[in-house]
Amino acid sequence: MAFKLGYSSLRWQTPNLPEVLGQMKAAGWEGWELRQSLDFLGSPERVRKICDDAGMPVAIVTARGISLDKNPNILEDNKRRIDFAAALEADCFMFMGAGKPQRGYATDEEIAALAEIGDEMADYASQYNLDVCYHIHTQTTIDSTEEWAKLMSKMKKCKLCIDVSHSALWGFDPRESVKHYKDTLVYIHLQDFDTEVAKDWVELGEGNILNFPGTLKALEEIGYNRWVVVCPGNTKRTDEEKMRVNREYLRSLGY
């Protein structure tokens, strides 16, 4: 297996980092996706020590909000997060779109604005040799395969994160989408969704719209060798249980 398996701190605001990173390590993850505020985290030196002590490096740092009007304060805040990611030697920096337009679709101008934001952040991050990637996500600025294709045609420097669940919800089989966008793909989110019973995010293998064995095989076929990070479901399990059951599911598939 060429790619590395990490876990997302998606549902944590102010976690006890030594404790949860220790739980991640015990469950068998190799790294983690950092989403918390810099005010909570403190210095990169502090975070690096906690990560080193736990043997759990930061794989990815995420943005904290995007505004299509290129609000300078928001852009600067995210540039500081890029600085933070570089100091921790993260693999890349990830961002999503703004809220979905009320009209139900994005205009060409809005798609162009999102592409410009991504490219501006990618240009800034290039001083660190750090990739910036756009995370596809339903109910954001880009909310269809057609809009996704338009965005990719406009972004020149920014790379791509495919969340397999959102690709599937748009009707684009992730086995095909990862192959289609392989040349710009630098990050993968594994997340599961159940459209029938829970009608919500669930743990891996508990949904009804994804073929995880096929998707992971497709990643191997394209030679993908970067991070694959799992996002926990919105289930009643404890955080520690979610870390364990998601890792056990991937082991059951041979990963």
Side-chain angles (χ1 to χ4, degrees):
M1 181 178 69
F3 48 78
K4 294 173 283 190
L5 292 172
Y7 192 82
S8 175
S9 63
L10 171 66
R11 304 192 185 279
W12 306 338
Q13 294 299 315
T14 56
N16 179 326
L17 284 179
E19 179 181 5
V20 296
L21 294 185
Q23 292 170 351
M24 277 188 205
K25 183 70 173 180
W29 302 103
E30 298 175 82
W32 66 293
E33 178 190 272
L34 182 154
R35 289 175 172 251
Q36 287 67 40
S37 74
L38 299 189
D39 287 341
F40 165 73
L41 292 167
S43 70
E45 291 78 16
R46 172 183 179 270
V47 175
R48 181 187 288 275
K49 184 179 186 308
I50 293 171
C51 292
D52 288 348
D53 289 346
M56 284 294 295
V58 171
I60 311 295
V61 175
T62 70
R64 297 276 285 187
I66 291 295
S67 173
L68 294 185
D69 63 3
K70 298 181 72 174
N71 181 299
N73 292 329
I74 293 176
L75 277 173
E76 282 302 311
D77 285 347
N78 281 313
K79 287 177 180 178
R80 298 295 77 74
R81 293 183 70 81
I82 289 172
D83 297 337
F84 197 89
L88 292 173
E89 299 181 306
D91 188 57
C92 67
F93 180 80
M94 182 195 83
F95 77 103
M96 298 189 301
K100 182 174 179 176
Q102 289 187 348
R103 77 181 76 85
Y105 63 90
T107 64
D108 287 346
E109 291 76 17
E110 289 167 336
I111 295 173
L114 184 59
E116 288 173 6
I117 290 169
D119 281 345
E120 180 174 339
M121 289 194 295
D123 186 59
Y124 180 81
S126 66
Q127 66 183 299
Y128 303 118
N129 196 30
L130 178 71
D131 284 328
V132 170
C133 60
Y134 174 75
H135 176 320
I136 63 164
H137 202 292
T138 54
Q139 298 301 311
T140 61
T141 307
I142 302 300
D143 197 18
S144 69
T145 55
E146 294 79 14
E147 292 175 346
W148 180 8
K150 285 183 179 180
L151 177 67
M152 299 309 297
S153 72
K154 295 178 184 296
M155 288 195 304
K156 306 305 179 186
K157 299 180 180 180
C158 187
K159 304 298 184 180
L160 176 66
C161 167
I162 292 181
D163 182 307
V164 299
S165 63
H166 296 288
S167 183
L169 286 167
W170 285 337
F172 197 170
D173 188 326
R175 291 173 292 183
E176 299 304 320
S177 66
V178 300
K179 294 177 181 178
H180 184 77
Y181 287 115
K182 65 180 181 179
D183 291 339
T184 192
L185 185 65
V186 299
Y187 188 32
I188 289 287
H189 260 186
L190 291 188
Q191 190 170 201
D192 207 353
F193 194 87
D194 176 24
T195 63
E196 295 180 351
V197 180
K199 297 182 180 178
D200 202 349
W201 308 108
V202 291
E203 311 312 330
L204 298 187
E206 296 179 353
N208 66 325
I209 62 171
L210 285 151
N211 178 335
F212 285 106
T215 298
L216 293 167
K217 181 64 174 176
L219 290 175
E220 292 183 343
E221 290 173 353
I222 66 172
Y224 181 79
N225 62 2
R226 295 178 74 164
W227 282 96
V228 173
V229 166
V230 171
C231 292
N234 189 26
T235 62
K236 293 182 179 180
R237 293 179 177 90
T238 67
D239 290 331
E240 187 173 10
E241 288 170 339
K242 291 178 183 181
M243 292 182 216
R244 178 176 50 78
V245 299
N246 282 301
R247 190 65 190 91
E248 287 175 352
Y249 175 75
L250 290 176
R251 285 196 188 97
S252 75
L253 302 181
Y255 296 93

